[in-house]
Structures are given as structure tokens and as C-alpha cells.
Amino acid sequence: MGTAERRGAPRAGGAQMTAPQDAEATDLDSPADEAEVTAREAGVPAHKVGRDMREQQYYRPLWVEEPARRRRLPDPVRTAAVRSVILIAVTLIQAMVAFLCTMAGSWLAFPMVISSVVSTIVATWGALDVWVTRQVWNQRNGVVSMPSSTARALRRERRRARRQARAAERAQERIRRRGGAGQLSHS
């Protein structure tokens, strides 16, 4: 059902369409009708209510926040990725300028081609740097999403060793406080 059909607007041939009414429909089916009744009770003029209601009905947020599907990249990896994107963008611009200078027969063509080759090597290094940084970060800090992560097992072992060391230190401290000279028993 289109807008013209809902509002009962005249159609091209002059005939007026009206929306079919439900048998159970009441006078307060639309939010605008409810607002008018509430406004009449509050003593607010009807023309202000209609305008406010229209503004409310057509208000839509520009975007809807959704939870991230993946975790945010770690800071070192993100820094390397941004650096790599900038290097690749500069390389593409240099290659385009070198091509256009070559087509125009400019003296700048040769230096631009040389700098494009060097820049391509640097951009390749930048892309590899992202991959290496990501691998190093995963190796040092563990992969959070994988239950069989090696780093997680190593962290567990380190925690267990630290707990045991603290427990042994506390036991030695207790013995020293009691006045024992390193003896575990007084027999």
C-alpha cells in the first residue's frame, strides 16, 4: 500500500483512494492520533503536536553502532599497517607520475622511474613488516582466539612457577618470623 493510498490522496484520474479500515481499528491506532489526544489533555496547540510528531516519525539515526566482529589490531601491528598503506600510496602516485612523464617525454621521466623502483622495494618491505610484526606480536603475547595456543600454555606455566615461588618465599618468611634458624621442626 503506497503513501497515496494510506492518506486518501486524490489519484491522477481525480478519484480519491481511501485506506481499507480494519474491523478492530480504533481512533487511536496511529501514534499521531495518540499524540493529539495527549496534547489536548495537556492543553498544547494541535499544530505544534503534529509538527513534533512528524519530526519524531522521520528521525532516523545516521548510523547504528554494532559490536566489532573482530578484535582491534594490536598497536604495533596497526602502526606497521598504517606505515605500509602510506608507503604503498606514495609508490602508486610515483608510478603514475613516472608513467605520465614518460608519455609526455619530460626530462623528469627517468628520475621518477628510478624513484618508483626504489619506492616499490620500500613498499614491499613495508608490507612484509606488517606480516612480521603480527607474527612477532602473536608469538610474544599469544593468540587469544585459539584454545590450543602455545603462548597460553607458556603463560600458564609461568604463572604456576611464580605462584610456587611466592608460596616458598612466604613459607621461608614464616619460619624466619618464628625465630627458627632454618629448621623446619624443633625435634
Side-chain angles (χ1 to χ4, degrees):
M1 179 185 307
T3 307
E5 294 167 338
R6 267 190 259 123
R7 297 192 187 263
R11 299 190 76 199
Q16 185 166 348
M17 294 292 295
T18 58
Q21 296 290 325
D22 290 344
E24 299 174 6
T26 65
D27 290 340
L28 302 177
D29 273 350
S30 75
D33 293 338
E34 291 176 24
E36 281 181 32
V37 170
T38 308
R40 262 188 259 134
E41 292 171 358
V44 178
H47 68 278
K48 285 189 177 179
V49 171
R51 185 177 62 227
D52 292 343
M53 196 60 202
R54 278 193 301 268
E55 287 173 4
Q56 269 186 347
Q57 283 177 336
Y58 294 113
Y59 171 75
R60 272 190 3 218
L62 291 175
W63 64 83
V64 177
E65 295 274 342
E66 293 179 3
R69 292 187 182 142
R70 295 190 311 178
R71 289 181 180 271
R72 181 175 154 172
L73 280 176
D75 285 342
V77 179
R78 197 161 25 120
T79 305
V82 168
R83 188 184 320 121
S84 174
V85 166
I86 291 171
L87 288 172
I88 290 170
V90 168
T91 301
L92 289 174
I93 290 170
Q94 280 184 331
M96 184 182 65
V97 170
F99 174 75
L100 292 175
C101 287
T102 304
M103 292 281 116
S106 171
W107 64 270
L108 197 57
F110 181 70
M112 287 305 293
V113 168
I114 297 299
S115 71
S116 293
V117 169
V118 171
S119 190
T120 302
I121 294 168
V122 172
T124 305
W125 169 84
L128 284 174
D129 182 43
V130 174
W131 182 70
V132 169
T133 306
R134 185 169 169 262
Q135 295 299 327
V136 167
W137 193 90
N138 283 341
Q139 200 169 23
R140 286 184 183 160
N141 300 298
V143 182
V144 177
S145 62
M146 296 184 67
S148 62
S149 168
T150 314
R152 183 174 289 153
L154 289 172
R155 279 197 312 254
R156 231 181 261 133
E157 287 174 19
R158 277 190 235 127
R159 258 187 258 129
R160 191 176 302 128
R162 278 194 304 253
R163 268 190 232 120
Q164 288 174 348
R166 280 195 304 257
E169 191 178 309
R170 280 194 303 262
Q172 286 297 324
E173 186 63 33
R174 235 182 276 125
I175 291 171
R176 275 189 231 116
R177 272 189 305 217
R178 289 185 180 164
Q183 297 175 352
L184 291 178
S185 65
H186 293 283
S187 56

